[in-house]
Amino acid sequence: MDILIVLLRTIFFYFFILFSYRIMGKREIGQLSISDLTISILIAELVAISIENRQDATILTILPIILLVFLEVVLAYIQLKFNKVRPVMDGKPSVIILDGKLNVREMVKQRYSLDDLLMSLRENQIKGLNEIDYAILETNGKLSVFKKDKEGTYPLPLIIDGVVDNDSLLNINKTTIWLNKLLDTHDLSIDKVLYAFYKKNKLYIIRK
């Protein structure tokens, strides 16, 4: 009888968790943010405890999972509406290599070692640092790598949905005063810009 209960609970939670993740949205495992990973770990622990403790009512596991799914959906909506919330929840991408030079200070800040960097480069089929123009450590821990080319075409995002990316400004040795002056030439303010990026010493703007 105990075996049957365990099997039935396992089958039930398989479909229940599958349905729950469909509600939360599609994500690849490698693309999970910190908040996504936290939710996943909590759900896994709750299900494991429920299967082991057969005497406990299943509803005691279902209710916390529903709450976690609801919390994840609400947080995702808030992050879409308010860009300033996302860095607080999931952090911000970090520039590890800029113009072919190692950003040692950022590596120390992110506790990202040279061994970690070299391993990520090998995973991207890159032999050495001399091939890299830019490398960015994403919030999910994945390293995005841009090889050197003749034009140096990697665009640095300066404004995303009306919010200035101060780290990108710092990387190109510019200030918000400089940015505002450029926007003034287009009769624009920062809050009217959906997306603006800097490439080849030129600012490209997408209006809201």
Side-chain angles (χ1 to χ4, degrees):
M1 188 63 182
D2 287 346
I3 295 176
L4 180 61
I5 292 174
V6 169
L7 291 176
L8 289 174
R9 284 196 175 198
T10 302
I11 293 170
F12 169 77
F13 279 117
Y14 170 79
F15 288 104
F16 181 67
I17 298 304
L18 190 65
F19 177 73
S20 298
Y21 273 87
R22 288 297 300 273
I23 293 175
M24 289 191 290
K26 296 181 180 179
R27 294 280 178 88
E28 293 181 12
I29 296 300
Q31 295 177 337
L32 291 179
S33 64
I34 295 173
S35 59
D36 295 329
L37 184 59
T38 302
I39 295 290
S40 298
I41 292 172
L42 287 173
I43 289 176
E45 287 295 324
L46 286 167
V47 172
I49 292 170
S50 179
I51 292 174
E52 290 176 0
N53 298 332
R54 297 180 297 276
Q55 67 277 12
D56 293 341
T58 307
I59 193 66
L60 296 178
T61 302
I62 294 175
L63 288 177
I65 291 176
I66 291 174
L67 177 60
L68 289 173
V69 171
F70 175 76
L71 184 63
E72 175 69 3
V73 172
V74 170
L75 287 176
Y77 177 79
I78 291 174
Q79 290 182 50
L80 284 173
K81 284 291 185 180
F82 306 100
N83 284 331
K84 292 183 179 179
V85 176
R86 185 177 292 275
V88 176
M89 296 295 298
D90 296 328
K92 296 177 65 177
S94 302
V95 178
I96 301 299
I97 298 177
L98 178 65
D99 291 330
K101 299 177 182 178
L102 277 178
N103 188 346
V104 178
R105 179 178 296 179
E106 190 63 27
M107 289 179 67
V108 172
K109 180 181 176 182
Q110 299 299 327
R111 294 179 293 281
Y112 194 73
S113 70
L114 185 59
D115 287 337
D116 294 329
L117 176 60
L118 293 175
M119 182 178 68
S120 295
L121 294 182
R122 289 194 296 270
E123 290 174 349
N124 283 278
Q125 308 300 317
I126 294 172
K127 297 177 182 178
L129 295 173
N130 59 312
E131 298 181 24
I132 308 302
D133 199 8
Y134 293 92
I136 298 175
L137 184 64
E138 306 292 354
T139 55
N140 60 9
K142 182 179 178 181
L143 189 72
S144 298
V145 179
F146 301 85
K147 293 184 178 181
K148 287 183 178 179
D149 56 29
K150 293 181 180 179
E151 297 181 348
T153 55
Y154 174 69
L156 285 172
L158 299 185
I159 301 174
I160 301 175
D161 199 12
V163 179
V164 176
D165 190 322
N166 291 308
D167 290 338
S168 292
L169 278 176
L170 185 63
N171 287 330
I172 61 174
N173 296 316
K174 302 295 184 182
T175 64
T176 51
I177 296 175
W178 167 84
L179 181 59
N180 279 315
K181 285 182 179 179
L182 278 182
L183 292 176
D184 285 342
T185 62
H186 297 276
D187 294 323
L188 280 172
S189 58
I190 290 173
D191 62 316
K192 300 297 182 182
V193 177
L194 179 64
Y195 183 67
F197 62 92
Y198 191 69
K199 185 173 77 170
K200 295 175 64 177
N201 299 318
K202 186 176 179 180
L203 184 67
Y204 295 82
I205 301 169
I206 300 175
R207 301 167 184 253
K208 285 188 176 180

